[in-house]
Amino acid sequence: MRRLALSFLLSLVTLAIFAQDDLMNIIDQNTPSDINYTTATFKSTRIINGHSIERMLPGQLDVRISHRFGTLNSGAYDFWGLDQSNIHLGLEYGIWKWLMIGVGRGNYEKTFDGFAKFSVLRQSSGAKVMPVSLSVVTSAALKSKKFLDQSRKNYFSSQMSYVAQVLVARKISQTLSVQLTPSYVHRNLVPTELDPNDIFALGAGARIKLSKRISLNGEYYYVANPATYLSQQTYNPLSIGFDIETGGHVFQLFFTNSVGMIEKAFIGETTGQWKNGGIHFGFNISRVFTLVKHQKAPNS
Amino acid sequence: MKRLFISLATISVFLFFFISCYYDNEEALYPTLNSGCDTTNVTYSGTIAPILTDNCTGCHNSSNPSGGIILTNYSNVQAVASSGVLMNALTGKGVPIMPPSGSLSVCMIGQFQIWIRNGMPNN
């Protein structure tokens, strides 16, 4: 009787071991050795004013229309700023999985701009674990507004400014993504010798997903050069708003203390102040068109 | 190989732009700008207030201030200047240029710049 019980127990243990093997097989099947790249860290290629880690896929064209209205404290006569508007139009295109380029024109100082965004690292899990995504953005802007003094010798180079940024982002969970953006801005010509030609700033942005289509975004740039040295008092840009996705379009509606929509302007020339109502309502509309269809869906 | 070539080409285009970096400021680049323009003796009562009276206070007065901006007394002017709104309006940066009839002379804008840089004294 005892022997019978022992052999029964033994067979159970063996079965259990076989069952464990089966379980391991199932786990192996369900976790293939592929790399799982994180997608949709942000909804759009901008957090609000500044670039996000997101980029256009190869063959996709993003048409962007952005507005910043006047300040809320400008009163009822100017309809709290809505009578004025600053616009920026942009065409941005994905060339390869790791490179997108864009051109734009804004009426703020009648500026033409162009940028390239290089995707260096992509957050992933699975066979390759990468905790963050990292991109590099370089851009150049040409101010085409005429110089007030036409009698002096004005140089073409005086109209140029340049920006370099490193974007480091992490999608912490399905609802929360964060990004840090060390930035460098160079202006070829500044008004006085007190103004720095080089500006260093650290940007921080975050996105909280509220529902399938809506997310809350915030963005702040800390400008390291002391603003009191400037001939004009400038402030750090702070922006808060919502991303709303409606099949094919992304609407970004927000409040910001900056009128500039390119890095050179919102990092270096933000004169609005949140505490006295120097805030602008603004929006970005993004519409993505697929110009080149790829047979194999890119691993995004 | 193609990818390497194109990435090198892209980077070199941006390097080309960066190579044309200059470290200029208008004070150093245009020292002769000041000829015939009094930039040494800029005061509120002697320089700034007369320009405002001639060009601005027709609309920006306390009885019916356009845009809520008053430029008839020192404390209000100082507030508008320190917020950056004054220089933005004079140079048309992000807002419609003021006065609407045409911008002030370069000398006058320079005098505002100097007064603001000097800390907007009430002198």
Side-chain angles (χ1 to χ4, degrees):
Chain A
M1 188 62 206
R2 186 190 260 186
R3 183 176 286 180
L4 194 73
L6 210 84
S7 58
F8 179 70
L9 207 72
L10 202 75
S11 63
L12 264 186
V13 169
T14 334
L15 268 177
I17 289 170
F18 274 121
Q20 198 170 2
D21 273 356
D22 286 347
L23 196 66
M24 289 307 282
N25 283 339
I26 291 166
I27 290 171
D28 279 348
Q29 279 165 10
N30 285 348
T31 52
S33 56
D34 287 354
I35 305 169
N36 299 319
Y37 287 110
T38 305
T39 60
T41 309
F42 292 93
K43 262 195 174 25
S44 173
T45 57
R46 302 295 194 288
I47 299 179
I48 288 177
N49 283 319
H51 279 280
S52 78
I53 198 84
E54 294 298 326
R55 76 230 178 286
M56 283 294 107
L57 294 175
Q60 290 195 338
L61 176 74
D62 186 9
V63 178
R64 299 185 68 87
I65 301 167
S66 305
H67 272 65
R68 304 289 183 273
F69 293 99
T71 53
L72 293 185
N73 64 8
S74 55
Y77 181 73
D78 288 323
F79 206 59
W80 296 277
L82 294 185
D83 282 355
Q84 287 171 23
S85 89
N86 283 273
I87 60 160
H88 183 267
L89 306 171
L91 290 175
E92 303 177 359
Y93 186 71
I95 296 182
W96 294 286
K97 275 199 292 189
W98 53 275
L99 173 66
M100 74 174 279
I101 57 167
V103 290
R105 169 66 158 76
N107 68 343
Y108 179 85
E109 297 190 315
K110 301 188 185 295
T111 306
F112 293 90
D113 62 276
F115 73 88
K117 183 162 15 178
F118 304 86
S119 191
V120 180
L121 299 174
R122 292 167 69 192
Q123 187 182 341
S124 62
S125 58
K128 191 173 89 179
V129 176
M130 178 58 66
V132 294
S133 297
L134 189 148
S135 292
V136 175
V137 175
T138 59
S139 73
L142 170 71
K143 180 175 99 175
S144 72
K145 191 178 167 212
K146 285 177 185 158
F147 288 99
L148 280 175
D149 188 356
Q150 293 289 316
S151 60
R152 72 186 191 192
K153 181 166 172 46
N154 290 305
Y155 301 92
F156 176 80
S157 63
S158 299
Q159 300 167 299
M160 296 296 299
S161 61
Y162 309 95
V163 176
Q165 292 184 302
V166 179
L167 319 175
V168 185
R170 177 166 168 79
K171 189 173 187 175
I172 293 171
S173 69
Q174 282 301 313
T175 51
L176 178 65
S177 305
V178 294
Q179 180 177 305
L180 281 178
T181 316
S183 308
Y184 163 71
V185 180
H186 175 83
R187 288 106 43 105
N188 271 356
L189 179 70
V190 291
T192 71
E193 60 191 18
L194 295 177
D195 296 276
N197 289 88
D198 292 329
I199 299 175
F200 298 92
L202 179 64
R207 169 199 175 207
I208 298 168
K209 197 172 164 183
L210 300 177
S211 75
K212 204 176 166 191
R213 296 192 175 276
I214 299 174
S215 73
L216 173 69
N217 288 17
E219 185 185 53
Y220 178 75
Y221 277 80
Y222 171 75
V223 182
N225 304 43
T228 47
Y229 287 179
L230 306 176
S231 63
Q232 188 173 41
Q233 182 72 47
T234 61
Y235 300 95
N236 295 336
L238 171 67
S239 317
I240 296 168
F242 295 96
D243 280 8
I244 303 168
E245 196 177 343
T246 64
H249 290 74
V250 177
F251 290 90
Q252 297 182 296
L253 309 173
F254 45 81
F255 290 98
T256 175
N257 56 339
S258 157
V259 282
M261 284 161 267
I262 56 172
E263 285 70 21
K264 172 248 177 189
F266 68 77
I267 293 175
E269 296 163 11
T270 294
T271 50
Q273 218 182 343
W274 272 79
K275 68 177 180 191
N276 66 9
I279 312 164
H280 306 263
F281 173 66
F283 64 80
N284 302 331
I285 301 172
S286 158
R287 175 73 170 98
V288 176
F289 298 93
T290 303
L291 297 190
V292 183
K293 278 207 168 74
H294 290 260
Q295 286 178 337
K296 188 182 153 217
N299 189 4
S300 57
Chain B
M1 189 61 207
K2 188 183 165 200
R3 179 177 154 157
L4 182 75
F5 171 75
I6 294 167
S7 58
L8 280 177
T10 317
I11 290 165
S12 52
V13 166
F14 276 89
L15 273 181
F16 168 75
F17 278 111
F18 268 101
I19 283 167
S20 60
C21 264
Y22 291 83
Y23 282 83
D24 290 334
N25 67 71
E26 291 182 29
E27 285 178 332
L29 200 59
Y30 304 107
T32 55
L33 179 71
N34 299 342
S35 60
C37 179
D38 185 2
T39 55
T40 51
N41 190 25
V42 177
T43 61
Y44 180 75
S45 58
T47 318
I48 301 302
I51 298 175
L52 293 172
T53 309
D54 288 349
N55 299 285
C56 314
T57 56
C59 300
H60 296 289
N61 53 50
S62 52
S63 60
N64 184 22
S66 177
I69 289 169
I70 301 169
L71 298 173
T72 47
N73 62 65
Y74 169 78
S75 61
N76 283 319
V77 174
Q78 195 263 350
V80 176
S82 64
S83 71
V85 171
L86 185 64
M87 283 315 291
N88 278 351
L90 291 177
T91 54
K93 206 173 198 176
V95 293
I97 198 159
M98 288 289 146
S101 54
S103 69
L104 298 179
S105 72
V106 176
C107 174
M108 288 176 183
I109 293 172
Q111 287 169 328
F112 272 96
Q113 186 88 63
I114 289 162
W115 178 68
I116 292 169
R117 226 189 81 185
N118 290 344
M120 297 163 283
N122 185 9
N123 51 9

